[in-house]
Amino acid sequence: MWTYHPDLLATPVPRYTSYPTAADFGPLEAGSIERAIAGATGDVSLYLHIPFCEQICYYCGCNTGASGKRARVEAYLAALHQEIATVASLLPPSARVRRVAFGGGSPNAIETGEFLAIIEALHAHFPMGSPSFSIELDPRSLTSGWAQVISSVGVIRASLGVQTFAVHCQKAIGREQSLSMICRSVDWLRGAGVRSLNFDLMYGLPHQSEAEREDSLEYTRKLGADRGAVVGYAHVPHLVPRQTMIPEGALPGPAARFAMAAQAHATLVGDGYERVGFDHFALPHDSMARAVRQGTLRRNFQGFTDDQSEVLIGLGASSISGFPGLLAQNEKHTGRYRQLSAEGRLSASHGIVRTAEDQRRGALIEALLCNDEADIAPDLLGEVSERLAPFLGAGLARLDQGRLAILPDGLPYARVIAALFDTYRAQTKRKFSSAI
Ligand code: SF4
């Protein structure tokens, strides 16, 4: 079992879905995203953001809004279609789209016909290289009609927002969904041909007890989820105002959160799941578990992934695109996004040029988080040695001939150790969520 060292977890750190992180983005030179897309070659992945949900959960920090206003949804989708055409017109013929991911929000908050129209547009405009499709789904708005569409498109990976099966916790976070609703969703998705099914789960929720969190893991195993992401609830109402709906006094403290994370890890591994990075788990047959065994696990804006593409193009408001030399985020405000897209312009005016040094540090941070180890160049070792010493001294990491390894007891400290190599952290005042 892990050992709790509160002093080593005291500083909030990023989740490192990119390096530099979105907190370090600033204005980009005009034409940056266009030049990056025009220079993309080989395998390309697409991410499409659908910023709507039928019901908004109190804890949610995503860029999303209620889907009830149809005119707003239709205007957004028209802008998304325009952006698809604009981006595809810039992509060189040597590029091939190999993966398409839909996220949000909840992609199933739009109508099935609208979803199929987006799929048609992707095929009409992009050079598609038999891509695999994945989708994030809200069980509360999943229908048999959606299952048929998922089957007809050939979606093979799906992620269900579950979070907790405990009814009183669901009430406290504004996300009520019965066990039978989850069971029905699983049946539909399996029947539709989904081979890799993920459950998003949370610990650190209001009124959550250890026993109830264990129940949620038990249901996850019994329902046969191939993957599970077990993430600590990040209570940051100063950044996410809707979280003021969550009773702060009912949240577990840091030590209880640490114990919950440790217990979740022990339970899932005991149930036959393999650990993927610091907060994901996958059954041995799943492609994510295989990527871990083969040392090919990666980390991108969607979290841990087996996607090997160096280019991820984000479509839709707030989506982030990643290229070896550039990170660029689309306009977050859906109104401004719609306006720019309607004019045939790309809205990604914020981001950061990734220098060679950024790429070197980014590869190191990614290796530490994905493979638990990385070779550290002498100059970086000299830079971090003093701050690294407490982790080495506590038996959380080992340094051997310039190779830094995060030891099994050091897993909950992985992000903190990775952050030692982040030169931007000393410069930004932005607050991140708790390290555990
Ligand atoms: S369904 Fe997901 S994206 Fe939508 S509000 Fe809830 S947590 Fe956020």
Side-chain angles (χ1 to χ4, degrees), residues 11 15 27 92 115 124-125 197 227 242 255 283 295 329 379 383:
T11 309
R15 297 188 64 74
F115 180 75
H125 291 284
L197 180 59
R227 298 178 184 178
R242 60 173 78 109
L283 288 173
Q329 183 164 31
D379 62 320
E383 181 186 298

Side-chain angles (χ1 to χ4, degrees), residues 64-347:
T64 191
S67 60
K69 292 185 180 150
R70 284 297 305 159
R72 225 174 126 231
V73 175
E74 286 164 16
Y76 178 81
L77 294 178
L80 186 59
H81 276 270
Q82 179 60 58
E83 190 187 15
I84 287 170
T86 306
V87 168
S89 71
L90 293 168
L91 207 57
S94 57
R96 279 280 168 282
V97 174
R98 302 303 306 273
R99 288 195 185 219
V100 180
F102 286 87
S106 305
N108 59 320
I110 63 173
E111 294 182 357
T112 51
E114 292 169 332
F115 180 75
L116 286 172
I118 296 172
I119 299 288
E120 267 177 41
L122 293 175
H123 280 288
H125 291 284
F126 278 105
M128 301 288 260
S130 304
S132 65
F133 288 88
S134 63
I135 190 167
E136 293 171 10
L137 296 164
D138 183 348
R140 297 169 298 177
S141 44
L142 194 61
T143 60
S144 59
W146 263 101
Q148 282 167 19
V149 164
I150 283 166
S151 170
S152 70
V153 170
V155 174
I156 57 166
R157 282 186 299 276
S159 180
L160 279 179
V162 174
Q163 317 310 349
T164 173
F165 286 86
V167 175
H168 68 278
C169 289
Q170 291 182 355
K171 276 192 203 310
I173 60 172
R175 181 170 196 145
E176 294 182 53
Q177 45 193 20
S178 64
L179 174 60
S180 62
M181 187 185 278
I182 306 289
C183 293
R184 184 184 67 184
S185 300
V186 170
D187 287 346
W188 276 335
L189 293 173
R190 291 301 192 193
V194 168
R195 295 202 299 267
S196 180
L197 180 59
N198 177 73
F199 278 11
D200 279 342
L201 299 164
M202 270 190 184
Y203 65 86
L205 295 174
H207 307 295
Q208 191 176 32
S209 72
E210 192 59 48
E212 286 150 357
R213 203 203 34 66
E214 281 291 292
D215 277 354
S216 293
L217 299 179
E218 177 76 3
Y219 283 126
T220 299
R221 184 185 63 76
K222 281 188 177 157
L223 291 173
D226 305 282
R227 298 178 184 178
V230 186
V231 176
Y233 164 58
H235 191 65
V236 283
H238 55 290
L239 297 175
V240 183
R242 60 173 78 109
Q243 291 184 347
T244 52
M245 300 285 287
I246 292 187
E248 201 161 327
L251 294 171
R257 283 172 64 93
F258 186 90
M260 284 181 173
Q263 195 54 47
H265 176 273
T267 300
L268 285 170
V269 170
D271 283 346
Y273 286 85
E274 294 183 6
R275 177 178 67 80
V276 177
F278 53 82
D279 60 3
H280 280 52
F281 299 85
L283 288 173
H285 68 263
D286 191 87
S287 61
M288 195 93 94
R290 286 203 304 275
V292 174
R293 292 196 295 272
Q294 293 162 1
T296 56
L297 186 70
R298 303 291 309 272
R299 190 148 173 85
N300 68 14
F301 297 112
Q302 288 145 58
F304 289 106
T305 178
D306 55 349
D307 186 0
Q308 303 301 310
S309 172
E310 293 295 334
V311 174
L312 171 64
I313 300 177
L315 300 159
S318 78
S319 289
I320 302 178
S321 297
F323 305 87
L326 180 77
L327 302 172
Q329 183 164 31
N330 279 1
E331 171 60 53
K332 291 184 196 172
H333 187 272
T334 50
R336 284 195 291 273
Y337 164 78
R338 287 200 311 260
Q339 191 180 346
L340 289 164
S341 191
E343 293 167 8
R345 293 160 63 195
L346 297 183
S347 68

